[in-house]
Amino acid sequence: MSTRESRKMLMLAGATILVGWCGYLLVGRIHHATALRHDAEQAAVPDVMVIAPRREARHVSLDLPGTIEAWYQAPIYPQASGYVHMWYKDYGARVAAGDVLAEINTPGLDAQFAQAQADLQSSQAKYDLAVVTAQRWRLMGKSQAVSGQSVSVQDANEKSASADLEAARHNLDRYAALERFKVIVAPFDGVVTERDINVGDYVHEGGGNLNATGAASELFSVADTHQMRLFVSIPENMSYILQPGLHANVRVPQFPDRTFEAKFLTVSGGYDPDTRTSVSEFVIDNSDHALWPGTFAAVTLSAPEQAAHQSIPTGALVFQEHGMQVAVVDGQERAHFHDITVGRMGDGATQVLSGINPDDRIIDNPPADLLEGERVHVVQPAAGYSNDTDEKDDE
């Protein structure tokens, strides 16, 4: 082979290599552009996690705070002013109706009672004199010895004396009643929960000692604790569970291992506009007197659900101006927004009354920029981050 031919072969080989290298670079660029386009298309499709609606349990349970009060509780105030002579029942004393709690010395009332007795005697004497006088004038009137006008005056004097006598009797009865209030007695069987007097204290009619605000304090407070009243504020959307036969389980801090049963008694029949709750009242048997008035209670209410509804995580809700929606993934992996009607809403789950089907795939925590009909990519959540709604229904 000549030198010229060798040179041509080398040039041809170099050209072939150059063309091959350029082709390789071109193919690499095309492949890279295709990969970038594919990655961009994939990145434009949002990853979403879907959940299925869960059928609600047949029973609804509600935990609420409550307050336990006595069946009857009476603050006792004096009706007579004076000084405490002696008190006989202290805190926690068991008393029966009519038991003496305290005695009050009332020198001022005693003097008024004595004056009322004297006034009655004076009125009685004046009345007796008026009766005798009127009888004499009526006899003289029959014989025309005196004028008819004079007889009429004496009749009127008799009636006036009778009225004065009746008023004196009522006044004496009033002071006699007040005299009975010198002895403070228990109004019913119960326990003394407060004693706010001491020997020598001055108490005045209608109240005990004056406190720092100028208001009168009671002498004693007596509570009937054979049964207790439980007061619970029920939210507006749960008031339907308040019906005859409803029972509640009650726990109190002082007995952590004991549960008390409360029976529904009545409900206020109205809602507090500030809290949107209604005060309900339950009854607890307290024959062993374990519960005390004023106790905080943790109350658990359980009742049949009104109807079979679906529930979804609250995070799946889409808040729109016209109402609530959820984003549902169809068979073509595209998102569609459905209008729904919600019932009870909680931090974890929300009751859905209408707008979804049991087999819907609902996007949990949908992206804020998700559009109607947009394609989505359904992914499985990492372990520990799943909102498992496929719990079994309560029996």
Side-chain angles (χ1 to χ4, degrees):
M1 181 180 295
S2 65
T3 303
R4 178 184 287 258
E5 291 178 349
S6 298
R7 186 177 298 168
K8 286 182 178 180
M9 290 295 294
L10 288 173
M11 292 177 65
L12 181 61
T16 302
I17 292 173
L18 179 61
V19 171
W21 174 250
C22 291
Y24 172 76
L25 292 178
L26 180 61
V27 171
R29 286 175 178 272
I30 294 173
H31 178 74
H32 183 64
T34 302
L36 285 176
R37 186 180 304 109
H38 180 267
D39 290 344
E41 291 176 353
Q42 291 295 322
V45 178
D47 293 336
V48 297
M49 183 181 69
V50 298
I51 52 94
R54 179 173 63 88
R55 190 178 63 166
E56 285 193 330
R58 296 193 181 106
H59 282 75
V60 60
S61 182
L62 188 64
D63 294 325
L64 293 169
T67 301
I68 297 175
E69 297 293 349
W71 186 249
Y72 297 124
Q73 184 148 353
I76 300 174
Y77 296 90
Q79 292 300 309
S81 299
Y83 295 91
V84 177
H85 171 69
M86 181 60 68
W87 54 265
Y88 301 101
K89 301 296 182 182
D90 207 348
Y91 287 94
R94 293 284 170 185
V95 295
D99 281 356
V100 177
L101 304 178
E103 293 181 354
I104 302 174
N105 286 332
T106 58
L109 176 61
D110 294 343
Q112 290 173 317
F113 181 58
Q115 181 179 351
Q117 290 176 315
D119 289 342
L120 178 60
Q121 294 175 356
S122 174
S123 297
Q124 182 69 57
K126 291 179 180 179
Y127 173 70
D128 293 340
L129 177 59
V131 169
V132 173
T133 302
Q135 289 176 347
R136 290 174 178 174
W137 281 82
R138 281 192 289 270
L139 291 176
M140 289 188 292
K142 291 179 180 179
S143 62
Q144 303 297 320
V146 294
S147 65
Q149 176 65 26
S150 301
V151 175
S152 298
V153 170
Q154 296 304 320
D155 289 338
N157 289 338
E158 179 184 4
K159 292 179 181 179
S160 177
S162 177
D164 290 342
L165 177 61
E166 190 67 18
R169 285 174 178 167
H170 288 304
N171 191 47
L172 180 62
D173 290 342
R174 173 176 175 269
Y175 283 108
L178 291 176
E179 282 283 314
R180 290 193 290 271
F181 283 113
K182 293 166 58 174
V183 179
I184 307 297
V185 299
F188 45 73
D189 296 352
V191 60
V192 176
T193 58
E194 288 188 40
R195 175 187 59 79
D196 293 326
I197 61 171
N198 280 300
V199 175
D201 281 352
Y202 176 76
V203 297
H204 61 91
E205 179 182 351
N209 296 322
L210 297 180
N211 57 30
T213 63
S217 60
E218 64 269 21
L219 306 184
F220 293 91
S221 184
V222 177
D224 178 0
T225 58
H226 79 286
Q227 285 184 317
M228 306 298 284
R229 300 179 191 268
L230 170 67
F231 295 96
V232 185
S233 294
I234 304 295
E236 183 176 355
N237 62 346
M238 293 297 295
S239 59
Y240 71 88
I241 71 175
L242 298 175
Q243 52 190 317
L246 176 66
H247 288 198
N249 292 326
V250 182
R251 291 184 177 275
V252 295
Q254 60 267 43
F255 300 111
D257 299 326
R258 181 175 176 182
T259 300
F260 298 86
E261 183 183 58
K263 299 179 181 179
F264 174 69
L265 179 62
T266 187
V267 64
S268 64
Y271 296 108
D272 185 329
D274 295 326
T275 62
R276 301 300 177 188
T277 59
S278 180
V279 177
S280 60
E281 185 178 352
F282 293 76
V283 179
I284 306 176
D285 179 71
N286 194 39
S287 55
D288 59 352
H289 303 288
L291 296 174
W292 295 356
T295 299
F296 170 82
V299 184
T300 300
L301 300 173
S302 180
E305 182 56 276
Q306 283 183 307
H309 296 299
Q310 310 287 338
S311 68
I312 61 174
T314 301
L317 296 175
V318 178
F319 296 86
Q320 298 289 357
E321 183 178 355
H322 62 276
M324 295 289 188
Q325 290 183 328
V326 291
V328 179
V329 179
D330 63 11
Q332 285 73 42
E333 303 297 305
R334 294 190 177 276
H336 300 281
F337 290 94
H338 291 184
D339 294 330
I340 62 172
T341 303
V342 300
R344 297 188 308 273
M345 296 185 64
D347 293 336
T350 294
Q351 181 187 68
V352 180
L353 305 180
S354 63
I356 60 174
N357 297 314
D359 55 350
D360 282 342
R361 293 189 300 164
I362 299 174
I363 299 177
D364 192 15
N365 294 312
D369 57 351
L370 185 67
L371 301 176
E372 170 65 25
E374 184 177 356
R375 187 167 173 269
V376 296
H377 180 230
V378 178
V379 297
Q380 295 296 325
Y385 289 91
S386 174
N387 289 324
D388 187 7
T389 59
D390 297 328
E391 299 176 3
K392 294 182 180 180
D393 294 339
D394 292 346
E395 297 295 334

